[in-house]
């Protein structure tokens, strides 16, 4: 178990003194905190829309710029008895995580005692699965009462054998309704009183046994998804959080425990340094587990290695290897006379992602052979899908893309962009075509690489530069002879304009025979621009920090 203590800032010390003064003597601490939370100026705008699944309702909550390939299922607090406005915590979670948040309106006690709210939580989770979200793209987050529901739901899903979410966050849960933690009686610096906790238990449990499975502490088992657990150090429920974290870790689960010094129950709904730090930790936790980022991997410079005619491997700062357009050798149809690479498909079997920008043989090449020989994810258009399935590649390792689709794998994000070209192939004697694509490759380390594929000059490139601000572009600047014509999508003059429009500092030309004049022509066209042209032979690499081939 990883445990972290976060010290109390001077700002938070002053703020918490003000909070305690306002809640002193109140019979409903939660109502006071809600008034304080909703009176704060929102850090970022949010939008909401309604959600319905059977008899369950809720709200979708989204901050600007959120991605569509993951989701946060947020279970709000407020004593199992009251609703919570979307701008209190759900909107902050959306902004922090970069994903939309589903906040279900689960049934409330005492009119609907245990297990009504838990059943609604499970229905909301199943509704996301039915909408097509893979379990591995769902982050379950709960605060206070919602954190208890989060842990109850995980244990119920684990017992049933159902698919588990990618990870879960539980902030200040009740895990022991028998209230056996010493901090319950000793938490006099908390804003929550013992009578309030007893009222919560009475409203929720009705006839349920506090020593039964309503208390998550009694159901801890192996096989839970990664957990981030957090609470304030002076909370009455501190021991509920700590004991669950310790026992879950002892059972073999991956658990991170975070304690925020001097913070009382409910602090995440307030504007505090601790809240901002907690949101940052949740964001990092979400990125780590929803993006399947490799853990504890040493960070190094990004590299690009040319391995064939139009093919190259981008190795990220964390070691993820992305192979683009893996033609190495052979001919098919109009694609003949291409330079053959000494690198074999088996040499690339350990790549993590294989990207095919379009179906032409001089780009798709040995893609299926390489994917079959390892565990790489294949990112391709619709034309290659049937051939990949016929070759036995499971759908779990295929990401079919058209322009606008974004794929995340490990620490890499690939956004498909339309290219000005054609994409076709022959399958079983039949002709099939789809959309040619370029890709914007972004790493968790901040590197931005434009993978052009085959595209002609268009104002689209200026748009991609303004939107995505790539630092490096891999551009196809050569071509092949087809009959009497030499087909070149971005000849050196056009490629120089493309590089300027993209706003990159480095261009790596491909789609040409090693040793020909094209890279020199491109470099001459960019001689007065602060753009380096890096010419690579097959097998040579460029390292981002060195700005030179290796």
């Amino acid at each position: 178990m990883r445990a972290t203590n976060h010290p109390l800032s001077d700002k938070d010390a002053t703020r918490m003194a003000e909070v305690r003064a306002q809640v002193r003597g109140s019979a409903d601490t939660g109502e006071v905190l809600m008034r304080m939370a909703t009176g704060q100026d929102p850090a970022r705008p949010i939008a909401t829309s309604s959600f319905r699944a059977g008899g369950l309702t809720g709200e979708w909550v989204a901050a600007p710029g959120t991605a569509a390939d993951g989701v946060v299922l947020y279970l709000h607090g407020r004593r199992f008895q009251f609703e919570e406005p979307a701008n209190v915590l759900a909107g902050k979670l959306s902004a922090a995580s970069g994903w939309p948040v589903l906040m279900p309106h689960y049934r409330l006690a005492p009119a609907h005692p245990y297990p009504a709210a838990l059943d609604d939580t499970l229905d909301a989770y199943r509704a996301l699965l039915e909408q097509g979200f893979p379990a591995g793209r769902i982050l379950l987050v709960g605060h206070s009462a919602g954190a208890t529901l989060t842990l109850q739901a995980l244990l119920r899903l684990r017992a049933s054998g159902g698919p588990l979410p990618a990870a879960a966050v539980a902030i200040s849960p009740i895990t022991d309704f028998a209230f056996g933690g010493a901090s319950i009686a000793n938490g006099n610096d908390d804003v929550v009183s013992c009578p309030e906790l007893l009222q919560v238990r009475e409203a929720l449990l009705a006839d349920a046994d506090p020593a039964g499975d309503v208390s998550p502490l009694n159901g801890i088992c192996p096989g839970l998804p990664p957990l981030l657990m957090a609470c304030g150090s002076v909370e009455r429920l501190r021991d509920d959080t700590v004991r669950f974290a310790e026992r879950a870790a002892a059972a073999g689960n991956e658990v991170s425990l975070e304690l925020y010094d001097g913070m009382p129950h409910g602090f995440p709904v307030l504007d505090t340094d601790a809240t901002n730090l907690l949101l940052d930790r949740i964001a990092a936790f979400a990125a780590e587990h929803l993006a399947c980022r490799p853990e504890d991997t040493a960070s190094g410079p990004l590299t690009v290695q040319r391995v064939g005619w139009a093919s190259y491997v981008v190795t990220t700062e964390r070691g993820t290897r992305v192979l683009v357009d893996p033609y190495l050798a052979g001919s098919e149809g109009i694609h003949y006379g291409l330079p053959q690479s000494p690198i074999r498909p088996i040499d690339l079997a350990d790549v993590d992602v294989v990207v095919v920008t379009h179906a032409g043989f001089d780009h798709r090449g040995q893609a299926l052979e390489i994917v079959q020989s390892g565990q790489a994810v294949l990112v391709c258009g619709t034309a290659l899908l049937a051939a990949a399935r016929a070759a036995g590649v499971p759908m779990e390792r295929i990401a079919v893309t058209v322009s606008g689709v974004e794929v995340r794998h490990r620490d890499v994000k690939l956004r498909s962009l339309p290219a000005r070209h054609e994409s076709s192939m022959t399958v079983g004697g039949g002709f099939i075509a789809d959309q040619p694509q370029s890709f914007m490759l972004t790493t968790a380390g901040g590197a931005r690489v434009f993978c052009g594929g085959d595209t002609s000059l268009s104002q689209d490139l200026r748009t991609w530069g303004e939107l995505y601000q790539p630092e490096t572009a891999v551009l196809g600047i050569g071509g092949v002879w087809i009959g009497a014509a030499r087909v070149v999508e971005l000849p050196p003059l056009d490629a120089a304009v493309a590089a300027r429009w993209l706003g990159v500092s480095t261009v790596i030309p491909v789609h040409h025979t090693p040793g020909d004049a094209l890279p020199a022509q491109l470099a001459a066209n960019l001689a007065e621009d602060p753009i380096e042209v890096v010419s690579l032979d097959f097998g040579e690499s460029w390292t981002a920090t060195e700005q030179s081939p290796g």
Side-chain angles (χ1 to χ4, degrees), residues 356-357 379-382 399-407 414-420 423 434-440 450 460 464 468:
V356 179
T357 61
V379 178
C380 64
T382 56
V400 180
T401 55
V402 294
S403 59
V405 172
E406 187 174 276
V407 177
L414 288 157
R415 177 177 287 274
S416 170
L417 306 171
R420 300 298 182 97
S423 177
D434 65 359
Q435 178 193 43
Q437 303 172 73
S438 298
F439 286 89
M440 186 66 211
F450 178 75
D460 287 347
W464 309 146
Y468 306 117

Side-chain angles (χ1 to χ4, degrees), residues 158-451:
R158 181 69 179 88
S160 68
L164 294 167
V169 179
I171 309 165
S172 306
I174 298 175
T175 64
D176 176 16
F177 281 97
F179 295 151
S183 61
I184 295 287
N186 299 332
N188 294 327
D189 288 334
D190 198 4
V191 297
V192 174
S193 67
C194 285
E196 285 181 294
L197 289 176
L198 293 171
Q199 190 277 331
V200 169
R201 181 172 69 180
E202 180 180 353
L204 177 69
L205 266 58
D207 296 330
D209 181 4
D213 60 7
V214 69
S215 293
L217 195 65
N218 298 328
I220 292 173
C221 60
L224 299 177
L227 287 171
L228 173 63
M229 302 196 68
C231 68
S233 68
V234 301
E235 292 191 43
R236 291 189 186 276
L237 294 173
R238 177 188 182 279
D239 287 354
D240 279 54
T241 299
V242 172
R243 288 190 296 161
F244 188 96
E246 290 175 343
R247 295 186 191 181
N253 298 294
E254 178 186 337
V255 183
S256 296
L257 171 64
E258 304 216 343
L259 297 176
Y260 293 81
D261 288 350
M263 302 307 288
H265 190 80
F267 77 88
V269 306
L270 301 174
D271 180 15
T272 67
D273 291 337
T275 301
N276 294 332
L277 181 56
L278 174 60
L279 290 169
D280 287 345
R281 292 293 302 119
I282 293 172
F285 184 73
E288 179 179 330
H289 295 290
L290 269 73
C292 303
R293 185 188 305 166
E295 294 182 72
D296 302 324
T297 301
S299 180
L302 178 134
T303 64
V304 178
Q305 180 189 35
R306 190 178 181 195
V307 295
W309 163 250
S311 58
Y312 50 97
V313 175
V314 179
T315 302
T316 73
E317 301 91 334
R318 291 187 171 89
T320 299
R321 304 183 72 213
V322 181
L323 170 62
V324 182
D325 287 340
Y327 169 83
L328 300 174
S331 63
E332 179 182 291
I334 63 174
H335 299 110
Y336 61 90
L338 298 177
Q340 308 293 285
S341 174
I343 297 171
R344 304 167 300 165
I346 193 63
D347 299 328
L348 299 169
D350 62 344
V351 298
D352 301 291
V353 184
V354 174
V355 180
V356 179
T357 61
H358 61 284
F361 183 66
D362 64 328
H363 286 256
R364 79 174 190 273
Q366 285 71 45
L368 298 184
E369 181 181 348
I370 293 168
V371 171
Q372 285 175 303
S373 64
Q375 292 298 316
V377 172
L378 173 65
V379 178
C380 64
T382 56
L384 195 53
L385 173 61
R389 296 295 289 123
V393 181
M395 279 303 299
E396 292 77 12
R397 290 203 286 125
I398 303 175
V400 180
T401 55
V402 294
S403 59
V405 172
E406 187 174 276
V407 177
R408 297 191 183 198
H409 183 68
R410 295 166 66 91
D411 59 323
V412 175
K413 179 171 66 177
L414 288 157
R415 177 177 287 274
S416 170
L417 306 171
R420 300 298 182 97
H421 192 56
E422 70 87 33
S423 177
S424 62
M425 60 187 291
T426 301
V427 178
F431 181 81
I432 186 170
D434 65 359
Q435 178 193 43
Q437 303 172 73
S438 298
F439 286 89
M440 186 66 211
L441 185 156
T442 306
T443 73
R448 299 180 300 279
V449 181
F450 178 75
C451 304

